[in-house]
Amino acid sequence: MSLQALKGRDFLRMADLSASQITDLLQVASDLKSGALTPTCSKILGLLFYKASTRTRVSFSVAMYQLGGQVIDLNPSVTQVGRGEPLSDTARVLDRYLDILAIRTFKQGDVESFANYCDIPIINALTDLEHPCQVLADLLTIQECFGRLAGQTVTFLGDGNNVAHSLLIGCAMMGMKVRVATPPEYKPDPAIVSSAQELAAPGAEIIITEDPIAAVEGSHVLYTDVWASMGQEDLAASRIPIFQPYQINRSLLEKADSQAIVLHCLPAHRGEEITEDVIESSQSKVWDQAENRMHAQKALMACLLGIID
């Protein structure tokens, strides 16, 4: 199994995994979810979150508890991190206390700096650039719904943000067709798009467009996120008219494949990026997606810690 090579590694970007490792990791997540696999450990996970969190915090915590380990919540407001201790100092100390560390922060460079100063595995639990743990759960959910990933068409609508970035790379690596529809000034980072194109498996297709209707035509998965991410709350009201054409509503959903599913990484602003009737519809797999954060991250931690044979 290709996962043995992950022991002791960091997971900072979606591209830190190969396509075969993603495939194997999703199988481990499925086996953990079904109870077919029950690894145990006595490891300690640290959570260093500079951003508010519900699903990420709880899913990582429950996953580690279910593996038999312990969790320490390193809230910056009650640690020296919040008082300006140099990142390098914090990293080198935590490296001697913990077995694995998940970080949720703003700058991608911060998680990379922690990885440079720590020997323990560092996990990107969200930065402004990428949200790779979310996309592992997304891929698991899509695979559960359709039985396979290759050949499926995924359309992301809204802001070309961290979720869109990791989704582009993850879907391309798995041979999927991924379309990202955004307003002109909110397209994904060109460097991320180029990376996705370079890593694309045979059969993959990458489309960046401003046309939401063309993007959803025949799509198997419609995916959205809030129009103003954490730290951009003051821009939320001004963005509504700009992003309104990209709202996932019943009219847009009807242009997708008849068996299409709807995903949202949450929290959702109902009536903005997604309508109430769509998120509560039978086509919505949002709650399965949220649950799968726990299973995917449990599999990831088990592999990085080397407790999967």
Side-chain angles (χ1 to χ4, degrees):
M1 182 179 284
S2 61
L3 295 177
Q4 292 175 345
L6 294 181
K7 182 179 180 180
R9 292 256 304 273
D10 302 312
F11 184 52
L12 309 182
R13 298 170 178 259
M14 199 68 209
D16 285 342
L17 299 176
S18 67
S20 62
Q21 286 169 339
I22 293 173
T23 297
D24 289 348
L25 194 149
L26 294 181
Q27 184 59 56
V28 170
S30 296
D31 290 343
L32 288 167
K33 186 174 182 178
S34 69
L37 190 63
T38 57
T40 59
C41 70
S42 57
K43 304 295 186 179
I44 300 175
L45 164 69
L47 299 178
L48 182 56
F49 284 15
Y50 294 86
K51 289 187 173 187
S53 171
T54 298
R55 278 150 295 278
T56 303
R57 185 185 303 278
V58 177
S59 59
F60 264 112
S61 298
V62 174
M64 180 51 84
Y65 288 136
Q66 289 185 354
L67 286 172
Q70 300 292 318
V71 180
I72 297 179
D73 190 344
L74 301 161
N75 188 330
S77 67
V78 294
T79 62
Q80 298 295 345
V81 172
R83 297 179 61 193
E85 181 175 47
L87 183 154
S88 57
D89 293 2
T90 300
R92 285 180 286 192
V93 171
L94 293 181
D95 188 49
R96 299 184 180 218
Y97 293 156
L98 305 172
D99 297 297
I100 190 167
L101 176 63
I103 303 172
R104 184 180 179 94
T105 189
F106 294 90
K107 297 178 181 178
Q108 178 74 17
D110 286 349
V111 295
E112 293 172 354
S113 292
F114 265 93
N116 287 335
Y117 285 105
C118 290
D119 291 327
I120 61 171
I122 304 299
I123 298 174
N124 176 356
L126 178 144
T127 66
D128 288 346
L129 184 68
E130 284 210 41
H131 197 356
C133 290
Q134 175 65 56
V135 172
L136 288 178
D138 300 339
L139 294 175
L140 178 59
T141 307
I142 296 167
Q143 184 169 277
E144 288 176 342
C145 290
F146 297 104
R148 62 187 178 90
L149 294 175
Q152 303 300 321
T153 301
V154 177
T155 297
F156 181 92
L157 301 117
D159 187 11
N161 60 11
N162 47 9
V163 174
H165 289 162
S166 292
L167 195 68
L168 272 165
I169 293 173
C171 289
M173 291 175 69
M174 301 313 293
M176 304 168 74
K177 299 176 181 180
V178 56
R179 306 166 182 170
V180 176
T182 73
E185 301 301 317
Y186 297 89
K187 293 180 180 179
D189 186 331
I192 294 288
V193 177
S194 295
S195 180
Q197 292 168 336
E198 292 171 4
L199 294 167
E205 180 180 272
I206 298 168
I207 295 176
I208 310 298
T209 180
E210 299 169 18
D211 187 342
I213 296 176
V216 304
E217 193 71 39
S219 185
H220 304 106
V221 181
L222 300 193
Y223 194 144
T224 192
D225 190 8
V226 294
W227 292 337
S229 299
M230 283 179 285
Q232 302 174 333
E233 289 81 2
D234 59 329
L235 303 174
S238 64
R239 288 190 175 196
I240 290 175
I242 298 172
F243 284 91
Q244 190 61 44
Y246 301 87
Q247 180 190 71
I248 298 184
N249 50 39
R250 180 56 59 184
S251 175
L252 202 64
L253 181 56
E254 288 174 351
K255 293 176 173 59
D257 184 86
S258 61
Q259 302 301 311
I261 63 170
V262 175
L263 300 180
H264 192 308
C265 54
L266 300 176
H269 293 170
R270 300 176 186 222
E272 292 185 15
E273 73 275 1
I274 192 166
T275 57
E276 177 85 14
D277 63 323
V278 169
I279 198 171
E280 294 294 349
S281 72
S282 60
Q283 290 174 271
S284 172
K285 300 301 178 184
V286 170
W287 320 118
D288 294 334
Q289 177 189 12
E291 178 189 344
N292 282 337
R293 289 292 304 278
M294 177 177 65
H295 304 300
Q297 288 159 190
K298 188 192 300 186
L300 175 67
M301 290 192 293
C303 293
L304 298 183
L305 289 168
I307 60 173
I308 296 293
D309 295 329

